[in-house]
Amino acid sequence: MFDVAYFYFINYYLKNYRYAAICFGRYITHTRLFSTSHSSVDSKEMKKFQLLAHKWWDEEGEYSALHSMNDIRVPFIRDTLLNMSSNYHLGNPLSGVKILDVGCGGGLLSEPLGRLGASVTGIDPLEDNIRTADQHKSFDPVLAKRIQYKSSSLEEIVEESMETFDVIVASEVVEHVADLEMFIKCCSRVLKPEGSLFITTINKTQLSYILGIVVAEKIMGIVPEGTHEWEKFVPPEELERLLESNGFSVKTVNGMLYNPLSGSWSWMESMSVNYAMHAVKSGARGQSSPTDALSESESEQPSATAGTAV
């Protein structure tokens, strides 16, 4: 039996389910790890969401909830990394940190991370998304230098990017992959020892089934039937188990709540719908880490040049 909070969830998620439908179509990974001869995405999904590629930066449009999610996910990434280091750069606290944004879309998360001083690589399988992201960053000369985008799946860049990145962010992505463990293995391959992996996703609960499958698709028809696969929703316990069995140590798991009345996100104890997770790849002696990158940037760049916290 659902309590009052669950009915509240149902009411506001119905009003904002277009956002969920878009997220569910962003990124599908094939079961072959590191394959470059096979497409990593579902062509039907790409055609379905290609029409929305030019709407990423409409803060009142289909991606409005992702825009507002930055208010909590960006500080979560920033503060977690800074708490792992004793040194940081005023104005550019993430200077020297190399971040991979998987399923970057139009760059909604890549840009604020770039403003914090990070060197960001954003990848997305949809070329129209990458064109939108490239065009938007070109309006800011600082971001144009700090961010690069590439139309690619994660497994397509593994061989060229072995242990390249200090940080990986996979926001609203893992619930779409065909083989989650292989996706995590890819993340481990391109992440440096002691590097950080940040994930936001949706839980696999009775509530998410009712909202995502029964109500949104079969009853209300808010999104086409078959758009969502509840079986791919990931419980935090399962994600944590897969991460730890593949050389990661999970450090933080937080529940997230979206309020459609205020258009804002907040942290909450319950992880019944959305949650965020931070994990660290096991390190090897003599290898650099994200905290080393922050320390190195402190000595290499004695003064801040640009960038503000989001």
Side-chain angles (χ1 to χ4, degrees), residues 19-20 27 96 123 146 167 175 220 228 246 254 260 262 293-294:
Y19 148 69
Y27 196 86
I123 61 173
R146 293 179 182 171
V167 177
E175 65 268 32
M220 301 294 294
H228 306 139
N246 284 279
N254 293 326
S262 63
L294 289 171

Side-chain angles (χ1 to χ4, degrees), residues 17-28 41-56 62-63 124-129 176 212-213 216-217 221-229 232:
Y17 219 87
R18 182 179 294 179
Y19 148 69
I22 295 166
C23 288
F24 289 172
R26 286 179 60 197
Y27 196 86
I28 307 296
V41 297
D42 188 325
S43 60
K44 293 181 180 178
E45 292 293 323
M46 292 185 69
K47 292 178 181 178
K48 186 185 303 180
F49 298 101
Q50 189 170 15
L51 295 176
L52 295 172
H54 66 288
K55 297 185 177 181
W56 281 100
E62 287 84 348
Y63 294 110
D124 195 283
L126 190 60
E127 292 184 4
D128 284 355
N129 284 346
H176 311 302
I213 307 297
E217 295 188 14
I222 297 173
V223 293
E225 187 168 349
T227 297
H228 306 139
E229 295 183 47
K232 289 185 178 180

Side-chain angles (χ1 to χ4, degrees), residues 174-175 180 184 199-206 208 232-245 249-256 268-279:
V174 300
E175 65 268 32
L180 182 54
I184 293 172
I199 293 172
T200 68
T201 188
I202 186 169
N203 200 347
K204 187 178 183 180
T205 61
Q206 188 175 16
S208 68
K232 289 185 178 180
F233 292 176
V234 187
E237 299 83 6
E238 178 184 347
L239 183 56
E240 183 170 354
R241 177 185 62 80
L242 286 172
L243 286 167
E244 293 187 344
S245 66
S249 175
V250 174
K251 303 298 183 181
T252 306
V253 187
N254 293 326
M256 302 166 64
M268 62 182 301
E269 291 186 8
S270 173
M271 293 176 285
S272 59
V273 182
N274 296 89
Y275 64 95
M277 183 175 291
H278 169 233

